[in-house]
Amino acid sequence: AVSYVFPENAPVSNWGENGRYAENHVVHTSTFESHALAEALKALVQSDVENSNTIIHMHFLDWKTINAVTRALKREKCMFVVQEHMRADFGLEEEKLSWIQRGKGCIKQMLYRHATSTCRMIGVSDAVYQDLCRIRGSKRLQTYMVRNAIATDRLDGQRFNSFQLDPNHDVIIFGTHFERKGVDLALKAVIKAGNGIRLIILTHCENDAIEKLDALCSEWRNYAKVFH
């Protein structure tokens, strides 16, 4: 069985088929404060008494939370996997750094190495993977790369055709998280280009996206369309 742990008050509408959880989706909620989350995961592992091969796979955790979770799970029979989505260079690749900034970056790397020393790590891009390998050193063999990308061939079926897209003029952006995915910047770029390019925004939260587009530009419908 697969269990999901969501932050408390996380928006879960439209998650799963027809906006409902499937029968095999066991969903738990927890505050994502580091120690509270660690205790929640420990309780889940201990409750799974029939399975000695529990795997915990988490995303978007900072080093403090990773450290708290690894300590809580130290004596438990499970594997802890963390998927890192952001660069872990801590700014050290920038050329113009003061010695204080460089020193802080080195300290953060040391803390990150210690926090992740007993877990598996996944990088979602070449750059993230290389950062992890460089920081983790001897733990490189427990560091993996799984590219975070969209399989665009899955858009070639009936659903894709129903959008009536023009491959020469339409640009698709996956924009459920409006600002984080850069939908606002993409719209500004399309408007500035003025060459007939149309922005296709795919989102789970259609009404929310439309409200944000209205606030951004009253004429956005001339340049973009929103699909759910």
Side-chain angles (χ1 to χ4, degrees), residues 106-131:
C106 291
I107 292 173
K108 288 179 179 178
Q109 280 195 344
M110 292 173 61
L111 293 171
Y112 192 94
R113 180 187 298 115
H114 173 74
T116 64
S117 61
T118 60
C119 62
R120 270 70 169 176
M121 296 291 296
I122 296 174
V124 301
S125 69
D126 293 327
V128 174
Y129 172 73
Q130 290 167 8
D131 286 344

mmCIF file with all atom_site columns, all heavy atoms in Angstrom, residues 106-131:
data_model
loop_
_atom_site.group_PDB
_atom_site.id
_atom_site.type_symbol
_atom_site.label_atom_id
_atom_site.label_alt_id
_atom_site.label_comp_id
_atom_site.label_asym_id
_atom_site.label_entity_id
_atom_site.label_seq_id
_atom_site.pdbx_PDB_ins_code
_atom_site.Cartn_x
_atom_site.Cartn_y
_atom_site.Cartn_z
_atom_site.occupancy
_atom_site.B_iso_or_equiv
_atom_site.pdbx_formal_charge
_atom_site.auth_seq_id
_atom_site.auth_comp_id
_atom_site.auth_asym_id
_atom_site.auth_atom_id
_atom_site.pdbx_PDB_model_num
ATOM 1   N N   . CYS A 1 106 ? 30.094 27.307 2.917   1.00 0.00 ? 106 CYS A N   1
ATOM 2   C CA  . CYS A 1 106 ? 30.819 26.082 3.272   1.00 0.00 ? 106 CYS A CA  1
ATOM 3   C C   . CYS A 1 106 ? 30.214 25.423 4.507   1.00 0.00 ? 106 CYS A C   1
ATOM 4   O O   . CYS A 1 106 ? 30.101 24.190 4.578   1.00 0.00 ? 106 CYS A O   1
ATOM 5   C CB  . CYS A 1 106 ? 32.290 26.393 3.512   1.00 0.00 ? 106 CYS A CB  1
ATOM 6   S SG  . CYS A 1 106 ? 33.203 26.872 2.021   1.00 0.00 ? 106 CYS A SG  1
ATOM 7   N N   . ILE A 1 107 ? 29.829 26.238 5.481   1.00 0.00 ? 107 ILE A N   1
ATOM 8   C CA  . ILE A 1 107 ? 29.202 25.688 6.692   1.00 0.00 ? 107 ILE A CA  1
ATOM 9   C C   . ILE A 1 107 ? 27.876 25.016 6.345   1.00 0.00 ? 107 ILE A C   1
ATOM 10  O O   . ILE A 1 107 ? 27.563 23.922 6.837   1.00 0.00 ? 107 ILE A O   1
ATOM 11  C CB  . ILE A 1 107 ? 28.985 26.797 7.742   1.00 0.00 ? 107 ILE A CB  1
ATOM 12  C CG1 . ILE A 1 107 ? 30.339 27.277 8.277   1.00 0.00 ? 107 ILE A CG1 1
ATOM 13  C CG2 . ILE A 1 107 ? 28.107 26.310 8.884   1.00 0.00 ? 107 ILE A CG2 1
ATOM 14  C CD1 . ILE A 1 107 ? 30.249 28.482 9.180   1.00 0.00 ? 107 ILE A CD1 1
ATOM 15  N N   . LYS A 1 108 ? 27.087 25.642 5.476   1.00 0.00 ? 108 LYS A N   1
ATOM 16  C CA  . LYS A 1 108 ? 25.804 25.061 5.063   1.00 0.00 ? 108 LYS A CA  1
ATOM 17  C C   . LYS A 1 108 ? 26.017 23.737 4.342   1.00 0.00 ? 108 LYS A C   1
ATOM 18  O O   . LYS A 1 108 ? 25.248 22.791 4.530   1.00 0.00 ? 108 LYS A O   1
ATOM 19  C CB  . LYS A 1 108 ? 25.050 26.045 4.173   1.00 0.00 ? 108 LYS A CB  1
ATOM 20  C CG  . LYS A 1 108 ? 24.494 27.254 4.913   1.00 0.00 ? 108 LYS A CG  1
ATOM 21  C CD  . LYS A 1 108 ? 23.773 28.193 3.964   1.00 0.00 ? 108 LYS A CD  1
ATOM 22  C CE  . LYS A 1 108 ? 23.198 29.390 4.712   1.00 0.00 ? 108 LYS A CE  1
ATOM 23  N NZ  . LYS A 1 108 ? 22.523 30.338 3.783   1.00 0.00 ? 108 LYS A NZ  1
ATOM 24  N N   . GLN A 1 109 ? 27.071 23.650 3.527   1.00 0.00 ? 109 GLN A N   1
ATOM 25  C CA  . GLN A 1 109 ? 27.371 22.391 2.848   1.00 0.00 ? 109 GLN A CA  1
ATOM 26  C C   . GLN A 1 109 ? 27.719 21.295 3.856   1.00 0.00 ? 109 GLN A C   1
ATOM 27  O O   . GLN A 1 109 ? 27.296 20.147 3.704   1.00 0.00 ? 109 GLN A O   1
ATOM 28  C CB  . GLN A 1 109 ? 28.520 22.583 1.864   1.00 0.00 ? 109 GLN A CB  1
ATOM 29  C CG  . GLN A 1 109 ? 28.109 23.203 0.539   1.00 0.00 ? 109 GLN A CG  1
ATOM 30  C CD  . GLN A 1 109 ? 29.187 23.049 -0.513  1.00 0.00 ? 109 GLN A CD  1
ATOM 31  O OE1 . GLN A 1 109 ? 30.337 22.756 -0.216  1.00 0.00 ? 109 GLN A OE1 1
ATOM 32  N NE2 . GLN A 1 109 ? 28.805 23.252 -1.762  1.00 0.00 ? 109 GLN A NE2 1
ATOM 33  N N   . MET A 1 110 ? 28.497 21.634 4.875   1.00 0.00 ? 110 MET A N   1
ATOM 34  C CA  . MET A 1 110 ? 28.875 20.664 5.896   1.00 0.00 ? 110 MET A CA  1
ATOM 35  C C   . MET A 1 110 ? 27.645 20.165 6.650   1.00 0.00 ? 110 MET A C   1
ATOM 36  O O   . MET A 1 110 ? 27.508 18.964 6.912   1.00 0.00 ? 110 MET A O   1
ATOM 37  C CB  . MET A 1 110 ? 29.882 21.286 6.864   1.00 0.00 ? 110 MET A CB  1
ATOM 38  C CG  . MET A 1 110 ? 31.241 21.589 6.253   1.00 0.00 ? 110 MET A CG  1
ATOM 39  S SD  . MET A 1 110 ? 32.318 22.513 7.379   1.00 0.00 ? 110 MET A SD  1
ATOM 40  C CE  . MET A 1 110 ? 32.442 21.359 8.748   1.00 0.00 ? 110 MET A CE  1
ATOM 41  N N   . LEU A 1 111 ? 26.744 21.087 6.982   1.00 0.00 ? 111 LEU A N   1
ATOM 42  C CA  . LEU A 1 111 ? 25.525 20.705 7.691   1.00 0.00 ? 111 LEU A CA  1
ATOM 43  C C   . LEU A 1 111 ? 24.643 19.828 6.812   1.00 0.00 ? 111 LEU A C   1
ATOM 44  O O   . LEU A 1 111 ? 24.040 18.854 7.281   1.00 0.00 ? 111 LEU A O   1
ATOM 45  C CB  . LEU A 1 111 ? 24.765 21.960 8.128   1.00 0.00 ? 111 LEU A CB  1
ATOM 46  C CG  . LEU A 1 111 ? 25.451 22.814 9.204   1.00 0.00 ? 111 LEU A CG  1
ATOM 47  C CD1 . LEU A 1 111 ? 24.713 24.126 9.383   1.00 0.00 ? 111 LEU A CD1 1
ATOM 48  C CD2 . LEU A 1 111 ? 25.514 22.051 10.524  1.00 0.00 ? 111 LEU A CD2 1
ATOM 49  N N   . TYR A 1 112 ? 24.578 20.161 5.535   1.00 0.00 ? 112 TYR A N   1
ATOM 50  C CA  . TYR A 1 112 ? 23.781 19.386 4.578   1.00 0.00 ? 112 TYR A CA  1
ATOM 51  C C   . TYR A 1 112 ? 24.347 17.975 4.442   1.00 0.00 ? 112 TYR A C   1
ATOM 52  O O   . TYR A 1 112 ? 23.611 16.993 4.408   1.00 0.00 ? 112 TYR A O   1
ATOM 53  C CB  . TYR A 1 112 ? 23.770 20.103 3.232   1.00 0.00 ? 112 TYR A CB  1
ATOM 54  C CG  . TYR A 1 112 ? 22.760 19.569 2.242   1.00 0.00 ? 112 TYR A CG  1
ATOM 55  C CD1 . TYR A 1 112 ? 21.492 20.144 2.136   1.00 0.00 ? 112 TYR A CD1 1
ATOM 56  C CD2 . TYR A 1 112 ? 23.066 18.500 1.395   1.00 0.00 ? 112 TYR A CD2 1
ATOM 57  C CE1 . TYR A 1 112 ? 20.558 19.667 1.222   1.00 0.00 ? 112 TYR A CE1 1
ATOM 58  C CE2 . TYR A 1 112 ? 22.142 18.012 0.487   1.00 0.00 ? 112 TYR A CE2 1
ATOM 59  C CZ  . TYR A 1 112 ? 20.895 18.604 0.399   1.00 0.00 ? 112 TYR A CZ  1
ATOM 60  O OH  . TYR A 1 112 ? 19.976 18.121 -0.506  1.00 0.00 ? 112 TYR A OH  1
ATOM 61  N N   . ARG A 1 113 ? 25.680 17.868 4.357   1.00 0.00 ? 113 ARG A N   1
ATOM 62  C CA  . ARG A 1 113 ? 26.329 16.559 4.246   1.00 0.00 ? 113 ARG A CA  1
ATOM 63  C C   . ARG A 1 113 ? 26.019 15.692 5.466   1.00 0.00 ? 113 ARG A C   1
ATOM 64  O O   . ARG A 1 113 ? 25.702 14.504 5.343   1.00 0.00 ? 113 ARG A O   1
ATOM 65  C CB  . ARG A 1 113 ? 27.843 16.724 4.097   1.00 0.00 ? 113 ARG A CB  1
ATOM 66  C CG  . ARG A 1 113 ? 28.590 15.394 3.978   1.00 0.00 ? 113 ARG A CG  1
ATOM 67  C CD  . ARG A 1 113 ? 30.094 15.556 4.012   1.00 0.00 ? 113 ARG A CD  1
ATOM 68  N NE  . ARG A 1 113 ? 30.580 16.356 2.910   1.00 0.00 ? 113 ARG A NE  1
ATOM 69  C CZ  . ARG A 1 113 ? 31.163 17.534 3.026   1.00 0.00 ? 113 ARG A CZ  1
ATOM 70  N NH1 . ARG A 1 113 ? 31.340 18.056 4.243   1.00 0.00 ? 113 ARG A NH1 1
ATOM 71  N NH2 . ARG A 1 113 ? 31.575 18.204 1.978   1.00 0.00 ? 113 ARG A NH2 1
ATOM 72  N N   . HIS A 1 114 ? 26.110 16.290 6.639   1.00 0.00 ? 114 HIS A N   1
ATOM 73  C CA  . HIS A 1 114 ? 25.826 15.539 7.864   1.00 0.00 ? 114 HIS A CA  1
ATOM 74  C C   . HIS A 1 114 ? 24.363 15.114 7.916   1.00 0.00 ? 114 HIS A C   1
ATOM 75  O O   . HIS A 1 114 ? 24.054 13.956 8.255   1.00 0.00 ? 114 HIS A O   1
ATOM 76  C CB  . HIS A 1 114 ? 26.159 16.392 9.093   1.00 0.00 ? 114 HIS A CB  1
ATOM 77  C CG  . HIS A 1 114 ? 25.752 15.768 10.392  1.00 0.00 ? 114 HIS A CG  1
ATOM 78  N ND1 . HIS A 1 114 ? 26.431 14.705 10.954  1.00 0.00 ? 114 HIS A ND1 1
ATOM 79  C CD2 . HIS A 1 114 ? 24.707 16.044 11.225  1.00 0.00 ? 114 HIS A CD2 1
ATOM 80  C CE1 . HIS A 1 114 ? 25.834 14.354 12.077  1.00 0.00 ? 114 HIS A CE1 1
ATOM 81  N NE2 . HIS A 1 114 ? 24.791 15.147 12.267  1.00 0.00 ? 114 HIS A NE2 1
ATOM 82  N N   . ALA A 1 115 ? 23.447 16.018 7.559   1.00 0.00 ? 115 ALA A N   1
ATOM 83  C CA  . ALA A 1 115 ? 22.014 15.724 7.654   1.00 0.00 ? 115 ALA A CA  1
ATOM 84  C C   . ALA A 1 115 ? 21.594 14.610 6.710   1.00 0.00 ? 115 ALA A C   1
ATOM 85  O O   . ALA A 1 115 ? 20.696 13.823 7.016   1.00 0.00 ? 115 ALA A O   1
ATOM 86  C CB  . ALA A 1 115 ? 21.197 16.989 7.365   1.00 0.00 ? 115 ALA A CB  1
ATOM 87  N N   . THR A 1 116 ? 22.258 14.516 5.541   1.00 0.00 ? 116 THR A N   1
ATOM 88  C CA  . THR A 1 116 ? 21.846 13.541 4.526   1.00 0.00 ? 116 THR A CA  1
ATOM 89  C C   . THR A 1 116 ? 22.714 12.294 4.510   1.00 0.00 ? 116 THR A C   1
ATOM 90  O O   . THR A 1 116 ? 22.598 11.467 3.605   1.00 0.00 ? 116 THR A O   1
ATOM 91  C CB  . THR A 1 116 ? 21.885 14.190 3.128   1.00 0.00 ? 116 THR A CB  1
ATOM 92  O OG1 . THR A 1 116 ? 23.241 14.555 2.798   1.00 0.00 ? 116 THR A OG1 1
ATOM 93  C CG2 . THR A 1 116 ? 21.010 15.430 3.074   1.00 0.00 ? 116 THR A CG2 1
ATOM 94  N N   . SER A 1 117 ? 23.571 12.129 5.509   1.00 0.00 ? 117 SER A N   1
ATOM 95  C CA  . SER A 1 117 ? 24.570 11.056 5.462   1.00 0.00 ? 117 SER A CA  1
ATOM 96  C C   . SER A 1 117 ? 23.971 9.662  5.545   1.00 0.00 ? 117 SER A C   1
ATOM 97  O O   . SER A 1 117 ? 24.599 8.691  5.103   1.00 0.00 ? 117 SER A O   1
ATOM 98  C CB  . SER A 1 117 ? 25.587 11.244 6.598   1.00 0.00 ? 117 SER A CB  1
ATOM 99  O OG  . SER A 1 117 ? 24.939 11.185 7.862   1.00 0.00 ? 117 SER A OG  1
ATOM 100 N N   . THR A 1 118 ? 22.763 9.521  6.104   1.00 0.00 ? 118 THR A N   1
ATOM 101 C CA  . THR A 1 118 ? 22.197 8.177  6.275   1.00 0.00 ? 118 THR A CA  1
ATOM 102 C C   . THR A 1 118 ? 20.973 7.928  5.389   1.00 0.00 ? 118 THR A C   1
ATOM 103 O O   . THR A 1 118 ? 20.274 6.929  5.589   1.00 0.00 ? 118 THR A O   1
ATOM 104 C CB  . THR A 1 118 ? 21.806 7.937  7.746   1.00 0.00 ? 118 THR A CB  1
ATOM 105 O OG1 . THR A 1 118 ? 20.837 8.902  8.147   1.00 0.00 ? 118 THR A OG1 1
ATOM 106 C CG2 . THR A 1 118 ? 23.028 8.032  8.639   1.00 0.00 ? 118 THR A CG2 1
ATOM 107 N N   . CYS A 1 119 ? 20.706 8.805  4.449   1.00 0.00 ? 119 CYS A N   1
ATOM 108 C CA  . CYS A 1 119 ? 19.540 8.599  3.588   1.00 0.00 ? 119 CYS A CA  1
ATOM 109 C C   . CYS A 1 119 ? 19.959 8.542  2.126   1.00 0.00 ? 119 CYS A C   1
ATOM 110 O O   . CYS A 1 119 ? 21.064 8.934  1.770   1.00 0.00 ? 119 CYS A O   1
ATOM 111 C CB  . CYS A 1 119 ? 18.490 9.698  3.792   1.00 0.00 ? 119 CYS A CB  1
ATOM 112 S SG  . CYS A 1 119 ? 19.037 11.357 3.375   1.00 0.00 ? 119 CYS A SG  1
ATOM 113 N N   . ARG A 1 120 ? 19.084 8.023  1.288   1.00 0.00 ? 120 ARG A N   1
ATOM 114 C CA  . ARG A 1 120 ? 19.293 8.058  -0.150  1.00 0.00 ? 120 ARG A CA  1
ATOM 115 C C   . ARG A 1 120 ? 18.844 9.415  -0.672  1.00 0.00 ? 120 ARG A C   1
ATOM 116 O O   . ARG A 1 120 ? 17.898 9.996  -0.155  1.00 0.00 ? 120 ARG A O   1
ATOM 117 C CB  . ARG A 1 120 ? 18.478 6.970  -0.849  1.00 0.00 ? 120 ARG A CB  1
ATOM 118 C CG  . ARG A 1 120 ? 19.185 5.640  -1.020  1.00 0.00 ? 120 ARG A CG  1
ATOM 119 C CD  . ARG A 1 120 ? 19.377 4.901  0.259   1.00 0.00 ? 120 ARG A CD  1
ATOM 120 N NE  . ARG A 1 120 ? 19.821 3.527  0.006   1.00 0.00 ? 120 ARG A NE  1
ATOM 121 C CZ  . ARG A 1 120 ? 20.132 2.676  0.957   1.00 0.00 ? 120 ARG A CZ  1
ATOM 122 N NH1 . ARG A 1 120 ? 20.078 3.030  2.222   1.00 0.00 ? 120 ARG A NH1 1
ATOM 123 N NH2 . ARG A 1 120 ? 20.523 1.450  0.654   1.00 0.00 ? 120 ARG A NH2 1
ATOM 124 N N   . MET A 1 121 ? 19.530 9.903  -1.706  1.00 0.00 ? 121 MET A N   1
ATOM 125 C CA  . MET A 1 121 ? 19.187 11.198 -2.286  1.00 0.00 ? 121 MET A CA  1
ATOM 126 C C   . MET A 1 121 ? 18.956 11.061 -3.778  1.00 0.00 ? 121 MET A C   1
ATOM 127 O O   . MET A 1 121 ? 19.648 10.304 -4.469  1.00 0.00 ? 121 MET A O   1
ATOM 128 C CB  . MET A 1 121 ? 20.311 12.209 -2.039  1.00 0.00 ? 121 MET A CB  1
ATOM 129 C CG  . MET A 1 121 ? 20.561 12.546 -0.581  1.00 0.00 ? 121 MET A CG  1
ATOM 130 S SD  . MET A 1 121 ? 19.219 13.489 0.194   1.00 0.00 ? 121 MET A SD  1
ATOM 131 C CE  . MET A 1 121 ? 19.273 15.011 -0.757  1.00 0.00 ? 121 MET A CE  1
ATOM 132 N N   . ILE A 1 122 ? 17.979 11.809 -4.278  1.00 0.00 ? 122 ILE A N   1
ATOM 133 C CA  . ILE A 1 122 ? 17.681 11.855 -5.702  1.00 0.00 ? 122 ILE A CA  1
ATOM 134 C C   . ILE A 1 122 ? 17.777 13.303 -6.169  1.00 0.00 ? 122 ILE A C   1
ATOM 135 O O   . ILE A 1 122 ? 17.164 14.197 -5.570  1.00 0.00 ? 122 ILE A O   1
ATOM 136 C CB  . ILE A 1 122 ? 16.268 11.326 -6.010  1.00 0.00 ? 122 ILE A CB  1
ATOM 137 C CG1 . ILE A 1 122 ? 16.163 9.843  -5.631  1.00 0.00 ? 122 ILE A CG1 1
ATOM 138 C CG2 . ILE A 1 122 ? 15.910 11.518 -7.482  1.00 0.00 ? 122 ILE A CG2 1
ATOM 139 C CD1 . ILE A 1 122 ? 14.762 9.270  -5.770  1.00 0.00 ? 122 ILE A CD1 1
ATOM 140 N N   . GLY A 1 123 ? 18.532 13.549 -7.234  1.00 0.00 ? 123 GLY A N   1
ATOM 141 C CA  . GLY A 1 123 ? 18.586 14.862 -7.863  1.00 0.00 ? 123 GLY A CA  1
ATOM 142 C C   . GLY A 1 123 ? 17.720 14.862 -9.104  1.00 0.00 ? 123 GLY A C   1
ATOM 143 O O   . GLY A 1 123 ? 17.672 13.869 -9.831  1.00 0.00 ? 123 GLY A O   1
ATOM 144 N N   . VAL A 1 124 ? 17.028 15.970 -9.367  1.00 0.00 ? 124 VAL A N   1
ATOM 145 C CA  . VAL A 1 124 ? 16.069 15.994 -10.473 1.00 0.00 ? 124 VAL A CA  1
ATOM 146 C C   . VAL A 1 124 ? 16.668 16.561 -11.765 1.00 0.00 ? 124 VAL A C   1
ATOM 147 O O   . VAL A 1 124 ? 15.981 16.671 -12.768 1.00 0.00 ? 124 VAL A O   1
ATOM 148 C CB  . VAL A 1 124 ? 14.800 16.794 -10.105 1.00 0.00 ? 124 VAL A CB  1
ATOM 149 C CG1 . VAL A 1 124 ? 14.128 16.191 -8.878  1.00 0.00 ? 124 VAL A CG1 1
ATOM 150 C CG2 . VAL A 1 124 ? 15.137 18.273 -9.857  1.00 0.00 ? 124 VAL A CG2 1
ATOM 151 N N   . SER A 1 125 ? 17.939 16.933 -11.725 1.00 0.00 ? 125 SER A N   1
ATOM 152 C CA  . SER A 1 125 ? 18.597 17.449 -12.926 1.00 0.00 ? 125 SER A CA  1
ATOM 153 C C   . SER A 1 125 ? 20.089 17.140 -12.826 1.00 0.00 ? 125 SER A C   1
ATOM 154 O O   . SER A 1 125 ? 20.592 16.757 -11.756 1.00 0.00 ? 125 SER A O   1
ATOM 155 C CB  . SER A 1 125 ? 18.387 18.963 -13.066 1.00 0.00 ? 125 SER A CB  1
ATOM 156 O OG  . SER A 1 125 ? 19.091 19.655 -12.048 1.00 0.00 ? 125 SER A OG  1
ATOM 157 N N   . ASP A 1 126 ? 20.798 17.342 -13.933 1.00 0.00 ? 126 ASP A N   1
ATOM 158 C CA  . ASP A 1 126 ? 22.239 17.103 -13.923 1.00 0.00 ? 126 ASP A CA  1
ATOM 159 C C   . ASP A 1 126 ? 22.927 17.969 -12.871 1.00 0.00 ? 126 ASP A C   1
ATOM 160 O O   . ASP A 1 126 ? 23.795 17.496 -12.125 1.00 0.00 ? 126 ASP A O   1
ATOM 161 C CB  . ASP A 1 126 ? 22.831 17.410 -15.305 1.00 0.00 ? 126 ASP A CB  1
ATOM 162 C CG  . ASP A 1 126 ? 22.361 16.431 -16.365 1.00 0.00 ? 126 ASP A CG  1
ATOM 163 O OD1 . ASP A 1 126 ? 22.140 15.256 -16.036 1.00 0.00 ? 126 ASP A OD1 1
ATOM 164 O OD2 . ASP A 1 126 ? 22.220 16.839 -17.529 1.00 0.00 ? 126 ASP A OD2 1
ATOM 165 N N   . ALA A 1 127 ? 22.551 19.260 -12.820 1.00 0.00 ? 127 ALA A N   1
ATOM 166 C CA  . ALA A 1 127 ? 23.212 20.187 -11.900 1.00 0.00 ? 127 ALA A CA  1
ATOM 167 C C   . ALA A 1 127 ? 22.946 19.811 -10.446 1.00 0.00 ? 127 ALA A C   1
ATOM 168 O O   . ALA A 1 127 ? 23.861 19.811 -9.610  1.00 0.00 ? 127 ALA A O   1
ATOM 169 C CB  . ALA A 1 127 ? 22.739 21.618 -12.174 1.00 0.00 ? 127 ALA A CB  1
ATOM 170 N N   . VAL A 1 128 ? 21.696 19.478 -10.118 1.00 0.00 ? 128 VAL A N   1
ATOM 171 C CA  . VAL A 1 128 ? 21.358 19.099 -8.747  1.00 0.00 ? 128 VAL A CA  1
ATOM 172 C C   . VAL A 1 128 ? 22.074 17.809 -8.363  1.00 0.00 ? 128 VAL A C   1
ATOM 173 O O   . VAL A 1 128 ? 22.635 17.689 -7.267  1.00 0.00 ? 128 VAL A O   1
ATOM 174 C CB  . VAL A 1 128 ? 19.829 18.940 -8.580  1.00 0.00 ? 128 VAL A CB  1
ATOM 175 C CG1 . VAL A 1 128 ? 19.492 18.406 -7.186  1.00 0.00 ? 128 VAL A CG1 1
ATOM 176 C CG2 . VAL A 1 128 ? 19.122 20.265 -8.816  1.00 0.00 ? 128 VAL A CG2 1
ATOM 177 N N   . TYR A 1 129 ? 22.079 16.830 -9.267  1.00 0.00 ? 129 TYR A N   1
ATOM 178 C CA  . TYR A 1 129 ? 22.755 15.552 -9.012  1.00 0.00 ? 129 TYR A CA  1
ATOM 179 C C   . TYR A 1 129 ? 24.246 15.766 -8.764  1.00 0.00 ? 129 TYR A C   1
ATOM 180 O O   . TYR A 1 129 ? 24.825 15.185 -7.833  1.00 0.00 ? 129 TYR A O   1
ATOM 181 C CB  . TYR A 1 129 ? 22.534 14.618 -10.198 1.00 0.00 ? 129 TYR A CB  1
ATOM 182 C CG  . TYR A 1 129 ? 23.341 13.344 -10.142 1.00 0.00 ? 129 TYR A CG  1
ATOM 183 C CD1 . TYR A 1 129 ? 23.011 12.327 -9.244  1.00 0.00 ? 129 TYR A CD1 1
ATOM 184 C CD2 . TYR A 1 129 ? 24.435 13.157 -10.982 1.00 0.00 ? 129 TYR A CD2 1
ATOM 185 C CE1 . TYR A 1 129 ? 23.760 11.154 -9.191  1.00 0.00 ? 129 TYR A CE1 1
ATOM 186 C CE2 . TYR A 1 129 ? 25.185 11.988 -10.933 1.00 0.00 ? 129 TYR A CE2 1
ATOM 187 C CZ  . TYR A 1 129 ? 24.840 10.993 -10.038 1.00 0.00 ? 129 TYR A CZ  1
ATOM 188 O OH  . TYR A 1 129 ? 25.585 9.844  -9.981  1.00 0.00 ? 129 TYR A OH  1
ATOM 189 N N   . GLN A 1 130 ? 24.889 16.602 -9.572  1.00 0.00 ? 130 GLN A N   1
ATOM 190 C CA  . GLN A 1 130 ? 26.316 16.865 -9.398  1.00 0.00 ? 130 GLN A CA  1
ATOM 191 C C   . GLN A 1 130 ? 26.600 17.564 -8.074  1.00 0.00 ? 130 GLN A C   1
ATOM 192 O O   . GLN A 1 130 ? 27.607 17.269 -7.405  1.00 0.00 ? 130 GLN A O   1
ATOM 193 C CB  . GLN A 1 130 ? 26.824 17.701 -10.576 1.00 0.00 ? 130 GLN A CB  1
ATOM 194 C CG  . GLN A 1 130 ? 26.871 16.921 -11.886 1.00 0.00 ? 130 GLN A CG  1
ATOM 195 C CD  . GLN A 1 130 ? 27.055 17.804 -13.093 1.00 0.00 ? 130 GLN A CD  1
ATOM 196 O OE1 . GLN A 1 130 ? 27.291 19.009 -12.981 1.00 0.00 ? 130 GLN A OE1 1
ATOM 197 N NE2 . GLN A 1 130 ? 26.930 17.210 -14.277 1.00 0.00 ? 130 GLN A NE2 1
ATOM 198 N N   . ASP A 1 131 ? 25.713 18.485 -7.678  1.00 0.00 ? 131 ASP A N   1
ATOM 199 C CA  . ASP A 1 131 ? 25.862 19.126 -6.370  1.00 0.00 ? 131 ASP A CA  1
ATOM 200 C C   . ASP A 1 131 ? 25.821 18.097 -5.255  1.00 0.00 ? 131 ASP A C   1
ATOM 201 O O   . ASP A 1 131 ? 26.655 18.115 -4.333  1.00 0.00 ? 131 ASP A O   1
ATOM 202 C CB  . ASP A 1 131 ? 24.739 20.148 -6.144  1.00 0.00 ? 131 ASP A CB  1
ATOM 203 C CG  . ASP A 1 131 ? 24.914 21.422 -6.953  1.00 0.00 ? 131 ASP A CG  1
ATOM 204 O OD1 . ASP A 1 131 ? 26.026 21.661 -7.459  1.00 0.00 ? 131 ASP A OD1 1
ATOM 205 O OD2 . ASP A 1 131 ? 23.930 22.177 -7.076  1.00 0.00 ? 131 ASP A OD2 1
#
